[in-house]
Amino acid sequence: MLEQQLTPLVLQAVKELYGIDANEQQVQFQKTRPEFEGHLTLVVFPFVKAARKAPAQVAADLGGYLHSHCPQLIERYNAVQGFLNLVIADSYWLQTLQTIAADDNYGQQPDRHQLMMVEYSSPNTNKPLHLGHVRNNLLGASIARIQEANGWQVVKTNIVNDRGIHICKSMLAWLRYGNGETPESTGKKGDHLIGDYYVRFDKEYKKQIEELKAQGMDEETAKKEAPLIKEAQDMLRRWEQGDKEIRDLWAKMNSWVYAGFDETYRRMGVSFDKIYYESNTYLEGKKEVERGLKEGIFYRREDGSVWADLTKDGLDEKLLLRSDGTSVYMTQDIGTAKLRYTDYPINKMVYVVGNEQEYHFKVLSLLLDKLGFPFGKELVHFSYGMVELPNGKMKSREGTVVDADDLMAGMIDEAKELSKDKVNTLTGITPEEADEIARVVGMGALKYFILKVDPRKNMLFNPEESIDFNGNTGPFIQYTYARIRSVLRKAEDAGEKATNIQTIRLNGKELALIQRLSEFPQTVRQAGDDFSPAVIANYAYALASEFNSFYHDFSILGEKDEAVRSFRLSLSGAVAKVLRRSACLLGIEMPERM
């Protein structure tokens, strides 16, 4: 890396010129601003006071020293106030390109020999995945890939909320109104079928509430006394007591949902190394709560419920077990955390969960610490913002939730319609290949549009804007990649080869491309440090934009100078490689033709 090569020389310069014993942290480089000549800028202000000279003079002194001691690297320089702009020799950039072109794992960081567990998705088995799950899954899967690129061993995990009152609502509605319907008999995905009955429960429950209110009962009492909710609560108690009839029904209906989830995950391109189920982990959590009760960490109220008093920690009191002995989400999360650290030698545990759960994870971390688990304070809640669609866009069949399957299908259909004219110009394209291109482009548009936004911010997903072939979109980057691949195929057919060139003179756009390529490893590190796929997405867009600008102004295959033509093929191949690696970190597939 250029900065790593120059830093020791800068430290040597300030020592010899001014007698300053500086450290590496004082050596600050930044990319030269476009209005000035140069590629890399040294900020000299950290040395000005000790040097006892004006900033511009310090910059000029250091420029002269660096140029005279390393002329093969620094071609020339200019000083602007306290900034030293360095023009790096073409030979360095050509060697850099050669290194990038030869490295099949370019950007991969050294192995840390440490394990990070990343939890994402966390669905409930009473409804299909929705738009919020789409952002969650895409962020979680991309963060896992980025951390692997940063040298972590990563275990991707999911906790399925497969028990609780919400599950019982779907089960009860199916028993009452389902007439034995199955995914096979209805032709519906299992998660959609069960989701329909969750909606049906809510509809019938509201009817009962209104009937009780008409009889003179207040709303809060009516909500508690409605027969359906009482039956659902009884079903939950029977489930926790191991009632065979209830357990068998629960297992059957959940199996339908899991089959539906698996189909959605495959379509989305996400996977997991280990799946935990709340039905298994909540028992471990209850054991830990009972232990905490015995040890005086928690307390029991008169109604039999168990609580944690966190008021001295600046929080409030937290329910851990209800009065009827049933558990809550916090109980399950305590048990899940314990099981995970038993199963894996985790160095860092990351929860990819929306920002509405920030308080929950503060409490979880504190409770685990109070229970004596050393990892309690080390949990990382990766908190991301909410995502919404413009009103009226791709609404699900219930009309209230944006369904993940509907959204993905809509994106692919949109890509198929918009790319129809482009695809028809490809020679020898079959209908199956055209459909595959539409799938890759539609899913690429969805993933990129969601991942390019700072994950901590709320966002509005606009399907039409996301699939534009000219803006900051996935299809634009995919099209740039496909364009390069087309050029490389034509070169190969013509017998042209990309060779290592060390003697040509680079134009400004060629040099800018190589410099951008050289920034990829640092970009990967920053994305890992920040847990931000947006860093990768916006880097890919900048690289694609710069290549298209170069492609517009300069010929590749039509270049008459053989050495320059060969160099440009090598440069184009390196750009394609880094675009593909960037897209891979985002979970985006790249089409060879578009």
Side-chain angles (χ1 to χ4, degrees), residues 2 54 103 112 114 135 152 167 188 192 214 232 247 252 263 333 357 363 391-392 445 462 511 537 563 580 590:
L2 186 56
D103 186 357
R112 295 171 181 258
Q114 288 187 309
R135 192 179 198 192
W152 287 90
I167 311 298
K188 288 184 178 179
H192 286 285
R247 286 288 181 127
K252 177 172 70 174
E263 187 178 330
D333 280 347
Q357 294 293 322
V363 173
N391 288 334
N462 187 322
L511 202 148
R580 188 180 185 90
M590 288 298 225

PDB file of all heavy atoms in Angstrom, residues 2 54 103 112 114 135 152 167 188 192 214 232 247 252 263 333 357 363 391-392 445 462 511 537 563 580 590:
ATOM      1  N   LEU A   2       0.507   2.230  -0.816  1.00  0.00           N
ATOM      2  CA  LEU A   2       1.326   3.421  -1.005  1.00  0.00           C
ATOM      3  C   LEU A   2       1.623   4.138   0.314  1.00  0.00           C
ATOM      4  O   LEU A   2       2.773   4.531   0.579  1.00  0.00           O
ATOM      5  CB  LEU A   2       0.603   4.359  -1.972  1.00  0.00           C
ATOM      6  CG  LEU A   2       1.349   5.618  -2.422  1.00  0.00           C
ATOM      7  CD1 LEU A   2       2.689   5.262  -3.049  1.00  0.00           C
ATOM      8  CD2 LEU A   2       0.484   6.402  -3.416  1.00  0.00           C
ATOM      9  N   ALA A  54       6.517  27.934   8.873  1.00  0.00           N
ATOM     10  CA  ALA A  54       5.173  28.072   8.310  1.00  0.00           C
ATOM     11  C   ALA A  54       4.762  26.759   7.656  1.00  0.00           C
ATOM     12  O   ALA A  54       5.604  26.031   7.128  1.00  0.00           O
ATOM     13  CB  ALA A  54       5.148  29.204   7.285  1.00  0.00           C
ATOM     14  N   ASP A 103      -3.629 -11.294  -8.491  1.00  0.00           N
ATOM     15  CA  ASP A 103      -4.125 -11.744  -7.181  1.00  0.00           C
ATOM     16  C   ASP A 103      -5.593 -12.139  -7.275  1.00  0.00           C
ATOM     17  O   ASP A 103      -6.471 -11.285  -7.347  1.00  0.00           O
ATOM     18  CB  ASP A 103      -3.945 -10.614  -6.151  1.00  0.00           C
ATOM     19  CG  ASP A 103      -4.298 -11.050  -4.741  1.00  0.00           C
ATOM     20  OD1 ASP A 103      -4.738 -12.206  -4.557  1.00  0.00           O
ATOM     21  OD2 ASP A 103      -4.135 -10.231  -3.817  1.00  0.00           O
ATOM     22  N   ARG A 112      -7.519 -13.818  10.959  1.00  0.00           N
ATOM     23  CA  ARG A 112      -7.424 -13.359  12.345  1.00  0.00           C
ATOM     24  C   ARG A 112      -7.358 -14.514  13.332  1.00  0.00           C
ATOM     25  O   ARG A 112      -7.041 -14.311  14.508  1.00  0.00           O
ATOM     26  CB  ARG A 112      -8.651 -12.509  12.708  1.00  0.00           C
ATOM     27  CG  ARG A 112      -8.799 -11.214  11.963  1.00  0.00           C
ATOM     28  CD  ARG A 112     -10.156 -10.589  12.256  1.00  0.00           C
ATOM     29  NE  ARG A 112     -10.370  -9.343  11.550  1.00  0.00           N
ATOM     30  CZ  ARG A 112     -10.263  -8.135  12.109  1.00  0.00           C
ATOM     31  NH1 ARG A 112      -9.945  -8.026  13.383  1.00  0.00           N
ATOM     32  NH2 ARG A 112     -10.484  -7.050  11.398  1.00  0.00           N
ATOM     33  N   GLN A 114      -9.922 -15.890  14.605  1.00  0.00           N
ATOM     34  CA  GLN A 114     -10.960 -15.611  15.587  1.00  0.00           C
ATOM     35  C   GLN A 114     -12.326 -15.847  14.952  1.00  0.00           C
ATOM     36  O   GLN A 114     -12.482 -15.746  13.725  1.00  0.00           O
ATOM     37  CB  GLN A 114     -10.873 -14.164  16.083  1.00  0.00           C
ATOM     38  CG  GLN A 114      -9.685 -13.899  16.990  1.00  0.00           C
ATOM     39  CD  GLN A 114      -9.749 -12.513  17.588  1.00  0.00           C
ATOM     40  OE1 GLN A 114      -9.931 -11.513  16.893  1.00  0.00           O
ATOM     41  NE2 GLN A 114      -9.603 -12.413  18.894  1.00  0.00           N
ATOM     42  N   ARG A 135     -34.486  -6.453   4.309  1.00  0.00           N
ATOM     43  CA  ARG A 135     -33.325  -5.627   4.680  1.00  0.00           C
ATOM     44  C   ARG A 135     -32.465  -6.340   5.722  1.00  0.00           C
ATOM     45  O   ARG A 135     -31.239  -6.326   5.631  1.00  0.00           O
ATOM     46  CB  ARG A 135     -33.776  -4.259   5.208  1.00  0.00           C
ATOM     47  CG  ARG A 135     -32.594  -3.293   5.328  1.00  0.00           C
ATOM     48  CD  ARG A 135     -32.945  -1.904   5.819  1.00  0.00           C
ATOM     49  NE  ARG A 135     -31.856  -0.978   5.490  1.00  0.00           N
ATOM     50  CZ  ARG A 135     -31.741   0.242   5.969  1.00  0.00           C
ATOM     51  NH1 ARG A 135     -32.652   0.728   6.800  1.00  0.00           N
ATOM     52  NH2 ARG A 135     -30.721   1.020   5.632  1.00  0.00           N
ATOM     53  N   TRP A 152     -12.069 -12.883   9.500  1.00  0.00           N
ATOM     54  CA  TRP A 152     -12.796 -13.572  10.562  1.00  0.00           C
ATOM     55  C   TRP A 152     -13.289 -14.931  10.063  1.00  0.00           C
ATOM     56  O   TRP A 152     -13.669 -15.075   8.900  1.00  0.00           O
ATOM     57  CB  TRP A 152     -14.021 -12.770  10.997  1.00  0.00           C
ATOM     58  CG  TRP A 152     -13.737 -11.547  11.798  1.00  0.00           C
ATOM     59  CD1 TRP A 152     -13.521 -10.288  11.319  1.00  0.00           C
ATOM     60  CD2 TRP A 152     -13.660 -11.447  13.225  1.00  0.00           C
ATOM     61  NE1 TRP A 152     -13.309  -9.412  12.360  1.00  0.00           N
ATOM     62  CE2 TRP A 152     -13.387 -10.097  13.537  1.00  0.00           C
ATOM     63  CE3 TRP A 152     -13.792 -12.372  14.260  1.00  0.00           C
ATOM     64  CZ2 TRP A 152     -13.244  -9.646  14.844  1.00  0.00           C
ATOM     65  CZ3 TRP A 152     -13.655 -11.914  15.568  1.00  0.00           C
ATOM     66  CH2 TRP A 152     -13.382 -10.579  15.846  1.00  0.00           C
ATOM     67  N   ILE A 167     -47.827 -17.812  17.695  1.00  0.00           N
ATOM     68  CA  ILE A 167     -47.905 -19.097  16.983  1.00  0.00           C
ATOM     69  C   ILE A 167     -49.245 -19.767  17.289  1.00  0.00           C
ATOM     70  O   ILE A 167     -49.909 -20.321  16.409  1.00  0.00           O
ATOM     71  CB  ILE A 167     -46.743 -20.021  17.394  1.00  0.00           C
ATOM     72  CG1 ILE A 167     -45.403 -19.289  17.323  1.00  0.00           C
ATOM     73  CG2 ILE A 167     -46.748 -21.283  16.538  1.00  0.00           C
ATOM     74  CD1 ILE A 167     -45.018 -18.815  15.952  1.00  0.00           C
ATOM     75  N   LYS A 188     -50.671 -23.048  -1.999  1.00  0.00           N
ATOM     76  CA  LYS A 188     -49.981 -21.912  -1.384  1.00  0.00           C
ATOM     77  C   LYS A 188     -48.690 -22.361  -0.721  1.00  0.00           C
ATOM     78  O   LYS A 188     -48.602 -23.482  -0.214  1.00  0.00           O
ATOM     79  CB  LYS A 188     -50.866 -21.250  -0.319  1.00  0.00           C
ATOM     80  CG  LYS A 188     -52.032 -20.456  -0.850  1.00  0.00           C
ATOM     81  CD  LYS A 188     -52.763 -19.779   0.300  1.00  0.00           C
ATOM     82  CE  LYS A 188     -53.913 -18.918  -0.201  1.00  0.00           C
ATOM     83  NZ  LYS A 188     -54.630 -18.271   0.916  1.00  0.00           N
ATOM     84  N   HIS A 192     -47.198 -18.648   3.700  1.00  0.00           N
ATOM     85  CA  HIS A 192     -48.322 -17.785   3.332  1.00  0.00           C
ATOM     86  C   HIS A 192     -49.645 -18.340   3.872  1.00  0.00           C
ATOM     87  O   HIS A 192     -50.504 -17.576   4.327  1.00  0.00           O
ATOM     88  CB  HIS A 192     -48.401 -17.644   1.812  1.00  0.00           C
ATOM     89  CG  HIS A 192     -47.337 -16.770   1.237  1.00  0.00           C
ATOM     90  ND1 HIS A 192     -47.349 -15.408   1.337  1.00  0.00           N
ATOM     91  CD2 HIS A 192     -46.198 -17.077   0.570  1.00  0.00           C
ATOM     92  CE1 HIS A 192     -46.287 -14.899   0.752  1.00  0.00           C
ATOM     93  NE2 HIS A 192     -45.559 -15.901   0.277  1.00  0.00           N
ATOM     94  N   ALA A 214     -70.120  -4.034  23.007  1.00  0.00           N
ATOM     95  CA  ALA A 214     -71.550  -3.733  22.805  1.00  0.00           C
ATOM     96  C   ALA A 214     -72.384  -4.182  23.996  1.00  0.00           C
ATOM     97  O   ALA A 214     -73.480  -3.660  24.225  1.00  0.00           O
ATOM     98  CB  ALA A 214     -72.035  -4.420  21.525  1.00  0.00           C
ATOM     99  N   ALA A 232     -56.287 -19.189  23.015  1.00  0.00           N
ATOM    100  CA  ALA A 232     -54.893 -19.145  22.553  1.00  0.00           C
ATOM    101  C   ALA A 232     -53.939 -19.229  23.733  1.00  0.00           C
ATOM    102  O   ALA A 232     -52.919 -19.929  23.682  1.00  0.00           O
ATOM    103  CB  ALA A 232     -54.649 -17.874  21.745  1.00  0.00           C
ATOM    104  N   ARG A 247     -48.683 -30.306  20.498  1.00  0.00           N
ATOM    105  CA  ARG A 247     -47.320 -30.395  19.966  1.00  0.00           C
ATOM    106  C   ARG A 247     -47.307 -30.968  18.549  1.00  0.00           C
ATOM    107  O   ARG A 247     -46.542 -30.517  17.695  1.00  0.00           O
ATOM    108  CB  ARG A 247     -46.447 -31.249  20.881  1.00  0.00           C
ATOM    109  CG  ARG A 247     -46.035 -30.579  22.192  1.00  0.00           C
ATOM    110  CD  ARG A 247     -44.994 -29.498  21.936  1.00  0.00           C
ATOM    111  NE  ARG A 247     -44.558 -28.840  23.148  1.00  0.00           N
ATOM    112  CZ  ARG A 247     -43.288 -28.710  23.518  1.00  0.00           C
ATOM    113  NH1 ARG A 247     -42.328 -29.197  22.765  1.00  0.00           N
ATOM    114  NH2 ARG A 247     -42.986 -28.057  24.620  1.00  0.00           N
ATOM    115  N   LYS A 252     -46.540 -29.950  12.738  1.00  0.00           N
ATOM    116  CA  LYS A 252     -47.029 -30.044  11.366  1.00  0.00           C
ATOM    117  C   LYS A 252     -47.095 -28.669  10.710  1.00  0.00           C
ATOM    118  O   LYS A 252     -46.596 -28.479   9.583  1.00  0.00           O
ATOM    119  CB  LYS A 252     -48.423 -30.688  11.357  1.00  0.00           C
ATOM    120  CG  LYS A 252     -49.044 -30.770   9.955  1.00  0.00           C
ATOM    121  CD  LYS A 252     -50.324 -31.584   9.950  1.00  0.00           C
ATOM    122  CE  LYS A 252     -51.461 -30.884  10.667  1.00  0.00           C
ATOM    123  NZ  LYS A 252     -52.747 -31.633  10.528  1.00  0.00           N
ATOM    124  N   GLU A 263     -37.630 -21.737   0.681  1.00  0.00           N
ATOM    125  CA  GLU A 263     -37.791 -21.273  -0.695  1.00  0.00           C
ATOM    126  C   GLU A 263     -37.478 -19.786  -0.808  1.00  0.00           C
ATOM    127  O   GLU A 263     -36.805 -19.338  -1.750  1.00  0.00           O
ATOM    128  CB  GLU A 263     -39.226 -21.560  -1.158  1.00  0.00           C
ATOM    129  CG  GLU A 263     -39.470 -21.264  -2.626  1.00  0.00           C
ATOM    130  CD  GLU A 263     -40.891 -21.604  -3.052  1.00  0.00           C
ATOM    131  OE1 GLU A 263     -41.497 -22.533  -2.468  1.00  0.00           O
ATOM    132  OE2 GLU A 263     -41.407 -20.917  -3.964  1.00  0.00           O
ATOM    133  N   ASP A 333     -33.762 -15.340  24.735  1.00  0.00           N
ATOM    134  CA  ASP A 333     -32.476 -14.802  24.303  1.00  0.00           C
ATOM    135  C   ASP A 333     -31.356 -15.140  25.278  1.00  0.00           C
ATOM    136  O   ASP A 333     -30.205 -15.336  24.874  1.00  0.00           O
ATOM    137  CB  ASP A 333     -32.574 -13.282  24.115  1.00  0.00           C
ATOM    138  CG  ASP A 333     -33.214 -12.912  22.784  1.00  0.00           C
ATOM    139  OD1 ASP A 333     -33.342 -13.805  21.928  1.00  0.00           O
ATOM    140  OD2 ASP A 333     -33.587 -11.745  22.603  1.00  0.00           O
ATOM    141  N   GLN A 357     -35.195  -2.380  18.679  1.00  0.00           N
ATOM    142  CA  GLN A 357     -34.828  -3.339  19.724  1.00  0.00           C
ATOM    143  C   GLN A 357     -33.570  -2.926  20.498  1.00  0.00           C
ATOM    144  O   GLN A 357     -32.974  -3.749  21.190  1.00  0.00           O
ATOM    145  CB  GLN A 357     -34.607  -4.722  19.102  1.00  0.00           C
ATOM    146  CG  GLN A 357     -35.863  -5.349  18.525  1.00  0.00           C
ATOM    147  CD  GLN A 357     -36.878  -5.698  19.604  1.00  0.00           C
ATOM    148  OE1 GLN A 357     -36.524  -6.140  20.690  1.00  0.00           O
ATOM    149  NE2 GLN A 357     -38.149  -5.469  19.319  1.00  0.00           N
ATOM    150  N   VAL A 363     -30.639  -4.452  27.758  1.00  0.00           N
ATOM    151  CA  VAL A 363     -31.080  -5.266  28.890  1.00  0.00           C
ATOM    152  C   VAL A 363     -30.461  -6.655  28.823  1.00  0.00           C
ATOM    153  O   VAL A 363     -29.980  -7.177  29.831  1.00  0.00           O
ATOM    154  CB  VAL A 363     -32.623  -5.357  28.918  1.00  0.00           C
ATOM    155  CG1 VAL A 363     -33.084  -6.349  29.979  1.00  0.00           C
ATOM    156  CG2 VAL A 363     -33.232  -3.979  29.164  1.00  0.00           C
ATOM    157  N   ASN A 391     -46.385   4.288  -0.899  1.00  0.00           N
ATOM    158  CA  ASN A 391     -47.756   3.767  -0.797  1.00  0.00           C
ATOM    159  C   ASN A 391     -48.220   3.195  -2.132  1.00  0.00           C
ATOM    160  O   ASN A 391     -48.022   3.784  -3.183  1.00  0.00           O
ATOM    161  CB  ASN A 391     -48.715   4.877  -0.361  1.00  0.00           C
ATOM    162  CG  ASN A 391     -48.508   5.249   1.098  1.00  0.00           C
ATOM    163  OD1 ASN A 391     -48.040   4.424   1.882  1.00  0.00           O
ATOM    164  ND2 ASN A 391     -48.854   6.467   1.453  1.00  0.00           N
ATOM    165  N   GLY A 392     -48.838   2.023  -2.034  1.00  0.00           N
ATOM    166  CA  GLY A 392     -49.424   1.424  -3.223  1.00  0.00           C
ATOM    167  C   GLY A 392     -48.484   0.571  -4.039  1.00  0.00           C
ATOM    168  O   GLY A 392     -48.899  -0.019  -5.027  1.00  0.00           O
ATOM    169  N   ALA A 445     -30.830  -5.400  -8.441  1.00  0.00           N
ATOM    170  CA  ALA A 445     -31.410  -4.072  -8.196  1.00  0.00           C
ATOM    171  C   ALA A 445     -31.929  -3.961  -6.771  1.00  0.00           C
ATOM    172  O   ALA A 445     -31.685  -2.965  -6.076  1.00  0.00           O
ATOM    173  CB  ALA A 445     -32.544  -3.812  -9.200  1.00  0.00           C
ATOM    174  N   ASN A 462     -37.676   2.378  -3.428  1.00  0.00           N
ATOM    175  CA  ASN A 462     -38.468   2.688  -4.620  1.00  0.00           C
ATOM    176  C   ASN A 462     -38.100   1.699  -5.722  1.00  0.00           C
ATOM    177  O   ASN A 462     -37.018   1.793  -6.302  1.00  0.00           O
ATOM    178  CB  ASN A 462     -38.186   4.120  -5.084  1.00  0.00           C
ATOM    179  CG  ASN A 462     -39.113   4.541  -6.211  1.00  0.00           C
ATOM    180  OD1 ASN A 462     -39.433   3.748  -7.090  1.00  0.00           O
ATOM    181  ND2 ASN A 462     -39.542   5.794  -6.178  1.00  0.00           N
ATOM    182  N   LEU A 511      -4.999   6.330 -14.958  1.00  0.00           N
ATOM    183  CA  LEU A 511      -4.349   6.418 -13.654  1.00  0.00           C
ATOM    184  C   LEU A 511      -5.376   6.466 -12.526  1.00  0.00           C
ATOM    185  O   LEU A 511      -5.218   5.811 -11.487  1.00  0.00           O
ATOM    186  CB  LEU A 511      -3.468   7.664 -13.632  1.00  0.00           C
ATOM    187  CG  LEU A 511      -2.336   7.667 -12.612  1.00  0.00           C
ATOM    188  CD1 LEU A 511      -1.160   8.458 -13.148  1.00  0.00           C
ATOM    189  CD2 LEU A 511      -2.820   8.249 -11.307  1.00  0.00           C
ATOM    190  N   ALA A 537     -20.817  -0.902  -1.540  1.00  0.00           N
ATOM    191  CA  ALA A 537     -21.737  -0.550  -2.624  1.00  0.00           C
ATOM    192  C   ALA A 537     -21.319   0.756  -3.290  1.00  0.00           C
ATOM    193  O   ALA A 537     -21.258   0.848  -4.536  1.00  0.00           O
ATOM    194  CB  ALA A 537     -23.157  -0.443  -2.083  1.00  0.00           C
ATOM    195  N   ALA A 563       0.931  -2.069 -27.386  1.00  0.00           N
ATOM    196  CA  ALA A 563       1.251  -2.062 -25.959  1.00  0.00           C
ATOM    197  C   ALA A 563       0.132  -1.399 -25.155  1.00  0.00           C
ATOM    198  O   ALA A 563      -0.264  -1.900 -24.094  1.00  0.00           O
ATOM    199  CB  ALA A 563       2.576  -1.332 -25.728  1.00  0.00           C
ATOM    200  N   ARG A 580     -16.707  -7.574  -9.563  1.00  0.00           N
ATOM    201  CA  ARG A 580     -17.300  -8.862  -9.213  1.00  0.00           C
ATOM    202  C   ARG A 580     -17.088  -9.186  -7.732  1.00  0.00           C
ATOM    203  O   ARG A 580     -17.990  -9.661  -7.047  1.00  0.00           O
ATOM    204  CB  ARG A 580     -16.709  -9.972 -10.081  1.00  0.00           C
ATOM    205  CG  ARG A 580     -17.415 -11.321  -9.924  1.00  0.00           C
ATOM    206  CD  ARG A 580     -16.786 -12.391 -10.816  1.00  0.00           C
ATOM    207  NE  ARG A 580     -17.560 -13.615 -10.735  1.00  0.00           N
ATOM    208  CZ  ARG A 580     -18.583 -13.916 -11.531  1.00  0.00           C
ATOM    209  NH1 ARG A 580     -18.949 -13.065 -12.472  1.00  0.00           N
ATOM    210  NH2 ARG A 580     -19.223 -15.055 -11.398  1.00  0.00           N
ATOM    211  N   MET A 590     -23.350 -11.432 -10.889  1.00  0.00           N
ATOM    212  CA  MET A 590     -22.974 -10.617 -12.048  1.00  0.00           C
ATOM    213  C   MET A 590     -23.244 -11.389 -13.340  1.00  0.00           C
ATOM    214  O   MET A 590     -22.734 -12.501 -13.508  1.00  0.00           O
ATOM    215  CB  MET A 590     -21.499 -10.226 -11.973  1.00  0.00           C
ATOM    216  CG  MET A 590     -21.198  -9.188 -10.897  1.00  0.00           C
ATOM    217  SD  MET A 590     -22.054  -7.629 -11.167  1.00  0.00           S
ATOM    218  CE  MET A 590     -20.759  -6.467 -10.867  1.00  0.00           C
TER     219      MET A 590
END
